[in-house]
Amino acid sequence: MVLCQNVCTFVRSNKYDNSMKLYSDQALAKILDRDIFHLIGDVADQMGVECYVVGGYVRDIFLERPSNDIDVVVVGSGIDVATAVKKRLGRKAHLSVFKNFGTAQVKMGDEELEFVGARRESYSHDSRKPIVEDGTLEDDQNRRDFTINAMAICLNSKRFGELVDPFNGIADLEDGIIATPLDPEVTFSDDPLRMMRCIRFATQLNFQIEDETFDALSRMADRIKIVSGERIEVELNKIIMSPHPSIGFEYLQRSGLLQIILPELAALDIVEKRDGRAHKNNFYHTLEVLENVVKNEGATTENSSLSTFPLYLRWAALLHDIGKTKSKRWEPGAGWTFHNHNLIGAKMIPGIFRRLKLPMGAEMKYVQKMVDLHMRPQVIADNEVTDSAVRRLLNDAGDDIDDLMLLCEADITSKNEVKKKMFLENFRMVREKLADLKVKDYKRLLQPVIDGNEIMELFHLKPSREVGELKQYLKDAVLDNRVENEREPLMQLLMEKARQMGLRE
């Protein structure tokens, strides 16, 4: 388990050993010994400009991670070099030019080459839109977000494969830390989205954030308010889909960013004590549930299937207890209670999704359903696991029943192994009952053979509360196994109920 309640930060060091594969310029030249890089370098030589592959592609060479997105910086016009490269490649490549941004993209198969001229940037306090001017390679590296993303490898023939690393990004890769090339406060103030990227990289790479960088991030947290919800959503989703997303949310909480971006989750980070009785810290419980989901989401059995919404199953884990802050009560004799926190939390989901610019369609409804139902299997397991209760659960969860069970099992975070084993055994019984009831065309069998249209025709009704009440009455009878889902016994029940309601044929 990666989760901890005290993520440490590291001070940068100036040393590194050879445990990471460090490449000489000759070795880098060999790694880049591909036709496309030599072609770009040849074009740059003919045009008399310096040309470098930079950023994430260079970082990933040292991390030995595959990457198809290649950023190329030209000390001159990136658009001109891209246009010449496209001409040399011919029909197999596609060129897109973005004059307003001074960039161009050459796409060839699965690879994307982004060309940009080296530039320097300056910002005003209340805007993320920089004033951009032509610059040197040094200027371009100065404006990069992190040292590990500020390395460049020359593509010109005379210096092909030469690494330019003014901020010792190699050392930071070796130490496993995230740090900014220049003053981190200036870096984050200029472009506040970098605060999210800082935490995202730390999470994805399992790196630590260097002390000075983290302190600046905390001081500048309020600047995140000028960043659009769409940009924040992208970074949040990348954090959530990381191998251990709890790292990122711990950093978000400690830095103060979470209180601004997702205050409903941040509010769970509290423990109240009364009469010697305290409730658990629901924030760290939530992160543990999220880690449990990540650990188990790939496991499938003959009675389960992969999630329809893997990203949003993790969102459901992250938000499953957000209703606890509003529902928390102290009850003498009972202690701390969180009655109906699932219902309260489910009602909060649409507002959160709208604010974070998350999709408001099926994905939002899925998360809302998961939050709403996440207590149901436990309630069933705590009592007798009856066919009726499991039928209702299966009916309400529908095709998402396997996701719901995974979430509920992940929610068991008790440190009491005996208690934990008992809960999981109860859930196993619920799963067995679910498997027994998952018969062919089960959804059809759950829908009474007498539908709303027939009810309206029988009793000369228009769509109304009475029709809904009669439909629900028949559905309950089927779910509770009081009658078979057959026309004759259901019609008899319908007529009896209609008479009680004062309805006539």
Side-chain angles (χ1 to χ4, degrees):
M1 176 66 66
V2 169
L3 179 66
C4 69
Q5 294 196 26
N6 182 24
V7 171
C8 299
T9 52
F10 284 7
V11 179
R12 295 175 70 182
S13 73
N14 292 317
K15 65 180 181 65
Y16 55 92
D17 58 32
N18 291 320
S19 59
M20 172 173 285
K21 185 181 286 187
L22 302 179
Y23 300 98
S24 66
D25 291 346
Q26 291 77 14
L28 288 172
K30 189 173 181 180
I31 290 171
L32 296 176
D33 189 16
R34 297 170 50 197
D35 290 344
I36 187 61
F37 291 123
H38 286 291
L39 185 152
I40 295 170
D42 188 46
V43 167
D45 288 342
Q46 289 183 12
M47 299 179 71
V49 295
E50 296 175 32
C51 190
Y52 303 83
V53 59
V54 299
Y57 189 85
V58 178
R59 177 198 68 225
D60 289 341
I61 287 174
F62 293 100
L63 292 175
E64 298 184 316
R65 300 198 316 174
S67 178
N68 291 324
D69 296 332
I70 304 169
D71 292 332
V72 178
V73 164
V74 178
V75 185
S77 171
I79 292 176
D80 288 349
V81 172
T83 303
V85 168
K86 160 63 174 88
K87 188 174 182 180
R88 292 273 293 269
L89 290 170
R91 292 183 178 180
K92 61 183 177 181
H94 176 75
L95 174 68
S96 301
V97 175
F98 309 95
K99 288 185 178 180
N100 289 343
F101 299 97
T103 65
Q105 179 190 82
V106 176
K107 189 167 185 178
M108 186 175 57
D110 293 334
E111 285 190 330
E112 291 184 1
L113 297 147
E114 297 280 350
F115 291 82
V116 64
R119 59 193 182 186
R120 65 167 62 95
E121 296 177 347
S122 58
Y123 294 78
S124 62
H125 180 75
D126 59 350
S127 174
R128 282 197 59 247
K129 294 182 180 179
I131 300 169
V132 180
E133 302 172 285
D134 292 341
T136 64
L137 175 65
E138 181 182 4
D139 291 327
D140 200 87
Q141 289 177 299
N142 286 343
R143 72 178 184 83
R144 297 277 162 176
D145 50 8
F146 308 111
T147 60
I148 63 173
N149 295 334
M151 297 179 286
I153 301 175
C154 188
L155 298 181
N156 296 92
S157 58
K158 289 184 179 180
R159 297 170 52 210
F160 192 86
E162 178 183 316
L163 176 66
V164 183
D165 183 18
F167 304 109
N168 218 1
I170 287 287
D172 288 348
L173 277 176
E174 170 59 25
D175 287 340
I177 63 174
I178 305 295
T180 59
L182 302 178
D183 181 344
E185 190 163 314
V186 174
T187 297
F188 294 142
S189 180
D190 283 349
D191 185 353
L193 186 66
R194 289 171 175 168
M195 294 188 288
M196 296 294 298
R197 286 170 57 82
C198 177
I199 292 174
R200 189 250 292 180
F201 279 120
T203 308
Q204 288 179 327
L205 300 176
N206 196 15
F207 278 18
Q208 303 289 346
I209 299 175
E210 176 251 350
D211 281 348
E212 185 181 352
T213 300
F214 184 80
D215 290 344
L217 190 154
S218 300
R219 290 194 302 272
M220 303 304 295
D222 201 56
R223 286 280 285 162
I224 200 67
K225 292 177 181 177
I226 71 169
V227 180
S228 70
E230 290 85 355
R231 304 289 301 282
I232 291 173
E233 176 212 354
V234 170
E235 296 300 325
L236 275 178
N237 285 340
K238 288 179 180 179
I239 291 170
I240 290 175
M241 291 305 290
S242 297
H244 293 289
S246 64
I247 295 172
F249 284 96
E250 166 79 6
Y251 273 131
L252 288 169
Q253 177 69 345
R254 288 185 56 229
S255 66
L257 283 166
L258 195 65
Q259 289 90 327
I260 299 169
I261 296 169
L262 193 49
E264 298 88 347
L265 179 61
L268 296 177
D269 189 9
I270 187 173
V271 175
E272 288 193 61
K273 192 173 184 179
R274 187 178 293 187
D275 295 345
R277 300 178 68 175
H279 60 79
K280 64 188 172 186
N281 185 305
N282 287 303
F283 175 74
Y284 287 100
H285 161 73
T286 293
L287 297 194
E288 193 169 352
V289 173
L290 178 58
E291 288 290 330
N292 287 342
V293 165
V294 173
K295 181 173 65 176
N296 297 317
E297 65 188 356
T300 58
T301 69
E302 60 180 343
N303 297 318
S304 66
S305 58
L306 289 172
S307 173
T308 306
F309 300 109
L311 167 63
Y312 295 97
L313 175 56
R314 295 190 184 195
W315 269 107
L318 192 68
L319 301 177
H320 79 285
D321 271 351
I322 54 169
K324 282 191 170 179
T325 302
K326 292 185 177 180
S327 65
K328 183 169 66 176
R329 299 287 185 274
W330 171 261
E331 296 182 4
W336 293 104
T337 65
F338 303 91
H339 297 312
N340 295 322
H341 73 272
N342 56 310
L343 300 176
I344 294 170
K347 290 179 181 178
M348 295 165 68
I349 298 301
I352 292 172
F353 267 55
R354 190 174 295 109
R355 188 180 72 242
L356 294 178
K357 308 301 181 183
L358 289 161
M360 296 297 294
E363 296 89 347
M364 185 277 290
K365 292 178 181 177
Y366 166 89
V367 173
Q368 191 173 35
K369 178 166 69 173
M370 291 293 107
V371 173
D372 184 13
L373 296 179
H374 83 270
M375 295 297 295
R376 283 274 293 280
Q378 183 172 326
V379 171
I380 293 172
D382 285 345
N383 300 288
E384 183 182 356
V385 184
T386 65
D387 285 1
S388 175
V390 176
R391 276 196 184 95
R392 288 179 175 277
L393 176 64
L394 184 55
N395 179 70
D396 292 342
D399 294 335
D400 301 313
I401 185 64
D402 292 320
D403 286 4
L404 179 63
M405 292 304 299
L406 191 155
L407 174 61
C408 293
E409 288 167 348
D411 199 17
I412 305 302
T413 62
S414 173
K415 300 302 180 283
N416 184 323
E417 290 301 321
V418 174
K419 188 176 180 181
K420 187 174 183 178
K421 186 176 180 180
M422 179 189 70
F423 279 134
L424 293 176
E425 175 62 19
N426 287 345
F427 280 139
R428 185 191 64 78
M429 289 189 290
V430 174
R431 278 191 180 274
E432 285 185 354
K433 184 70 72 173
L434 282 167
D436 290 341
L437 294 174
K438 278 184 177 180
V439 295
K440 187 177 180 181
D441 293 330
Y442 194 78
K443 288 178 91 174
R444 178 183 60 80
L445 293 175
L446 283 180
Q447 299 301 321
V449 295
I450 301 173
D451 63 15
N453 290 327
E454 186 170 0
I455 291 172
M456 288 189 286
E457 186 176 340
L458 277 170
F459 300 106
H460 312 290
L461 295 171
K462 293 182 178 180
S464 60
R465 180 186 58 79
E466 288 85 358
V467 176
E469 188 174 340
L470 289 170
K471 283 176 60 180
Q472 190 61 48
Y473 181 75
L474 296 183
K475 189 171 186 177
D476 287 344
V478 173
L479 289 171
D480 293 338
N481 207 27
R482 287 188 279 124
V483 295
E484 294 294 325
N485 191 12
E486 296 175 358
R487 185 174 184 78
E488 185 175 341
L490 281 175
M491 185 61 75
Q492 183 177 346
L493 275 181
L494 175 63
M495 292 303 176
E496 290 175 1
K497 181 65 175 177
R499 281 195 294 273
Q500 293 173 13
M501 295 171 62
L503 299 175
R504 298 178 179 276
E505 291 184 74

